[in-house]
Amino acid sequence: MLNELYREIILDHYRSPRNRGELPDADTKVRGSNPICGDEVTLYLKIGDGAIAAARSTGNGCSISQASTSIMTQAIVGRSLEEALALVEQVEGMMRGGGVPEGPNLEDLAALEGVRKFPARVKCALLPWETLKQSIHEYRAR
């Protein structure tokens, strides 16, 4: 029953992705890809006062990578860059068997927890999070 709920959440984000499209006034635009399966994510971030003011994405790929991107863009808006990086670590930990991160706008993250049962798909789920980490590092390196 719980697996079906999580599958529904992933399919809902895949079919109706949140924060989809380009962000014309973005402070960062970083493209991430998984050459093994062909998943692609381009992440656009607007950053103000050390926090993520807006996040949007474009890309193509499997339901897991695109749903994870949608879930991530909902989870990071309003967070400081440090909080966003900490969330990336929590999600990476969840994929290695750790717990599901808790906090505001993180309810749908639990749906990705089941992906760790399929090691070949973990890279799909982590692609947008790795792209987020790269975006923040590139922004800070300016």
Side-chain angles (χ1 to χ4, degrees):
M1 177 102 171
L2 196 56
N3 284 340
E4 288 183 29
L5 172 65
Y6 289 157
R7 186 180 352 191
E8 285 299 317
I9 291 170
I10 288 174
L11 289 176
D12 180 55
H13 276 274
Y14 176 66
R15 292 177 181 142
S16 303
R18 282 59 157 188
N19 304 306
R20 186 82 171 163
E22 296 183 8
L23 188 60
D25 61 343
D27 293 306
T28 67
K29 174 185 171 186
V30 173
R31 182 178 175 271
S33 66
N34 183 346
I36 295 172
C37 66
D39 290 343
E40 296 178 349
V41 171
T42 300
L43 180 63
Y44 305 83
L45 297 178
K46 182 71 180 167
I47 298 170
D49 295 327
I52 298 171
R56 297 187 61 90
S57 71
T58 59
N60 297 298
C62 69
S63 59
I64 299 297
S65 70
Q66 300 307 301
S68 183
T69 302
S70 176
I71 291 168
M72 182 194 71
T73 61
Q74 283 191 311
I76 61 174
V77 172
R79 294 184 187 273
S80 71
L81 299 181
E82 291 77 20
E83 290 170 335
L85 287 172
L87 186 56
V88 171
E89 288 184 23
Q90 290 176 317
V91 171
E92 290 171 341
M94 178 178 72
M95 291 299 167
R96 289 189 300 268
V100 177
E102 295 180 6
N105 302 321
L106 299 181
E107 298 83 12
D108 288 353
L109 262 176
L112 295 174
E113 184 181 27
V115 173
R116 71 178 179 217
K117 296 176 189 169
F118 307 95
R121 307 299 301 274
V122 168
K123 287 188 81 61
C124 302
L126 290 178
L127 175 62
W129 300 90
E130 292 167 354
T131 306
L132 171 61
K133 187 183 332 183
Q134 182 181 350
S135 296
I136 292 172
H137 290 310
E138 286 188 16
Y139 175 78
R140 287 180 165 169
R142 291 181 182 181

